[in-house]
Amino acid sequence: MELHTLTAHELSRKLRAREISALELTEAVLAHIERVEPAIQAYITPTPELAREQAKQAQARIDQGDPSPLLGIPVALKDNMCTEGVKTTCGSQILHNFVPPYNATVYRKLQEAGAVLVGKTNLDEFAMGSSTENSGFFTSRNPHDTERVPGGSSGGSTAAVAAHETILALGSDTGGSIRQPASFCGVVGMKPTYGRVSRYGLVAYASSLDQIGPITKDVRDCALLMNAISGEDPNDSTCVQLPVPDFTDALVDDVKGMRLGVPKEFFAQGVQPEVVTSVRSAIDKLAAAGAEVMEVSLPTAEYGLPIYYILAPAEASSNLARYDGTRYGLREGFEEGHIRMMEKTRAKGFGNEVLQRVMIGTYALSAGYYDAFYLKAQQARTLLRRDFERAFEQCDALVCPTSPTPAFKIGELADDPLAMKLADVLTIPVNLAGLPGISVPCAPVNGLPVGLQIIAKPFDEATALRVAYAWEQMQG
Ligand code: GLN
């Protein structure tokens, strides 16, 4: 049996029934990593020894009758989540040798749940990008076509799930970095509500937008992983004190009477016609299953991209000021005094995309330009959030494409930064409004995966999961 191809909930049953052992499962995944990793390149740091050790501990808990559904299940973490004793590079040369002294809360929670860490995955440097081509190390490949990108920035985690190099993975999503690669690789990816999951130990990119979320093979696994990582954290004051429902309760396979809004701006020009057709046909099927489908409008959504590309670089320029050779990672020019050390370290350690965003952000925040750019963007963000609030007065969830196109070829958009940024035009508004969103596969276009995006009200991940699950069940 091909254990690595199964889902977490299928494997959990087998583990509990003693059909397989946790170590056997981990060995199956590690062997598969060995086989396909040369072609996929999902991992910056595989952790096979740690995985074997954790698998043995998980087995001991299974033997004692511990009911945790993630016991013994292999998981991969995007390499911007701190793992004590395991290198955490953020895909950047500036952190090429950084070994965190503490664990991100999500990793601690996964350890408590008994999951098994099989490795740290590739990403665009500091999560800035949509393809992993901005990684300071290498580009990951799309398992559906290795000449194409897996999407980004969580492209390593997503490729790993799609290529069965792990059972579960976590990514982070600041403007689409979980949902867009999930769409490109034909897997499930959820960005929870801002404040649902702790970011303690997630290396900050744009703090008012960053969220950690699941990347999985199906919607049930997504709900299980949400259960494991959600909830308040004394170490992250932005993580809210709200009760966390059991997200698997939302998997009822019934959309009768649910009101689904179709934001017309998300089907407009720039979205490939074949993608529109695929997503429309999914929406038609949801309607046939009893959902009430209505058109809604998000007039400010077209400003999402410009708002994001002021706010995210502004926050990044501040967050990334700490990489200066003093405390973390790379240090260059120490003998030449601290100013030169900073200059040399940052010039050598950061890639072009990061340097560019730090400069844009610094500019947008500087005296004289602050009001014209940063403040304006904040004001526009409020308008965008209100658009969503108005839409949600009429409906329970919004349905639309995740990305305007299927996966593009490696190098195809390298000289066209605007086209690259447009890959996130349908996901960024969701981050700006702080809402939960999930991408689930719908009908492929020319053999390449396409994602259906479902957006819900704040802290109503359950509704997004319910629609996603119903759609998944319809496809069999
Ligand atoms: N692709 C977007 C960017 O380049 C979003 C990245 C993300 O969500 N981390 O910033």
Side-chain angles (χ1 to χ4, degrees), residues 76-339:
L77 296 180
K78 185 176 183 179
D79 207 19
N80 59 354
M81 299 176 205
C82 286
T83 43
E84 188 181 344
V86 178
K87 220 167 50 166
T88 299
T89 67
C90 279
S92 182
Q93 290 295 343
I94 213 161
L95 288 178
H96 72 105
N97 59 358
F98 174 59
V99 179
Y102 71 106
N103 284 327
T105 296
V106 288
Y107 181 43
R108 177 178 60 73
K109 287 190 172 196
L110 287 176
Q111 283 180 320
E112 284 165 12
V116 169
L117 182 69
V118 287
K120 305 291 298 289
T121 58
N122 193 27
L123 65 155
D124 291 290
E125 186 175 5
F126 286 102
M128 298 180 190
S130 310
S131 67
T132 73
E133 290 167 292
N134 294 340
S135 166
F137 302 106
F138 49 82
T139 300
S140 301
R141 311 274 159 157
N142 191 317
H144 293 267
D145 174 354
T146 52
E147 306 218 322
R148 291 176 189 267
V149 303
S153 63
S154 313
S157 278
T158 317
V161 171
H164 302 294
E165 292 185 79
T166 182
I167 307 301
L168 302 169
L170 290 183
S172 67
D173 189 314
T174 305
S177 278
I178 290 173
R179 290 159 291 154
Q180 182 258 20
S183 154
F184 279 16
C185 289
V187 297
V188 175
M190 174 169 243
K191 182 197 90 75
T193 312
Y194 185 80
R196 179 60 100 182
V197 177
S198 168
R199 284 107 40 91
Y200 178 69
L202 170 72
V203 178
Y205 161 21
S207 307
S208 77
L209 300 156
D210 299 338
Q211 260 298 290
I212 294 174
I215 297 166
T216 59
K217 298 179 191 181
D218 73 0
V219 178
R220 181 169 297 279
D221 276 6
C222 181
L224 286 172
L225 201 41
M226 280 296 294
N227 283 351
I229 63 173
S230 298
E232 60 176 295
D233 178 9
N235 285 327
D236 177 359
S237 61
T238 65
C239 190
V240 304
Q241 296 184 1
L242 272 183
V244 179
D246 179 346
F247 290 109
T248 61
D249 289 346
L251 312 180
V252 292
D253 192 12
D254 179 13
V255 287
K256 271 187 217 72
M258 288 188 89
R259 298 167 308 159
L260 302 181
V262 179
K264 64 169 191 246
E265 291 81 1
F266 284 32
F267 292 79
Q269 50 136 329
V271 184
Q272 204 171 293
E274 295 87 345
V275 170
V276 170
T277 306
S278 165
V279 171
R280 287 262 182 217
S281 106
I283 296 171
D284 289 346
K285 287 184 188 139
L286 287 164
E292 189 191 326
V293 174
M294 64 192 78
E295 186 174 271
V296 296
S297 175
L298 303 167
T300 322
E302 64 170 306
Y303 300 109
L305 213 59
I307 298 169
Y308 176 87
Y309 278 103
I310 295 294
L311 296 183
E315 295 180 22
S317 74
S318 161
N319 277 327
L320 271 54
R322 72 191 70 169
Y323 308 106
D324 57 7
T326 309
R327 281 157 298 190
Y328 315 97
L330 189 74
R331 173 182 289 167
E332 289 284 313
F334 179 68
E335 335 50 50
E336 296 168 57
H338 73 279
I339 300 281

Side-chain angles (χ1 to χ4, degrees), residues 366-432:
S366 55
Y369 297 107
Y370 182 92
D371 288 3
F373 294 110
Y374 185 73
L375 198 63
K376 228 347 141 235
Q378 289 286 29
Q379 289 163 338
R381 181 180 188 176
T382 302
L383 297 178
L384 179 57
R385 185 180 291 136
R386 287 197 193 136
D387 276 0
F388 277 105
E389 282 166 9
R390 263 191 297 274
F392 281 124
E393 283 167 12
Q394 305 168 53
C395 56
D396 306 308
L398 302 176
V399 284
C400 58
T402 306
S403 187
T405 68
F408 45 87
K409 289 220 159 109
I410 293 172
E412 189 181 333
L413 302 183
D415 302 324
D416 192 347
L418 182 61
M420 181 75 89
K421 290 179 166 70
L422 282 168
D424 299 297
V425 69
L426 308 177
T427 46
I428 278 174
V430 180
N431 300 74
L432 290 170

Side-chain angles (χ1 to χ4, degrees), residues 434-464:
L435 303 170
I438 190 170
S439 180
V440 280
C442 53
V445 165
N446 301 327
L448 294 172
V450 171
L452 165 69
Q453 181 174 219
I454 302 151
I455 306 163
K457 295 174 194 169
F459 299 102
D460 192 16
E461 289 86 359
T463 292

Side-chain angles (χ1 to χ4, degrees), residues 44-63:
I44 293 177
T45 309
T47 53
E49 284 319 309
L50 180 63
R52 290 186 178 104
E53 200 179 297
Q54 290 181 344
K56 285 178 199 150
Q57 290 164 10
Q59 188 60 48
R61 285 172 63 183
I62 293 170
D63 293 340

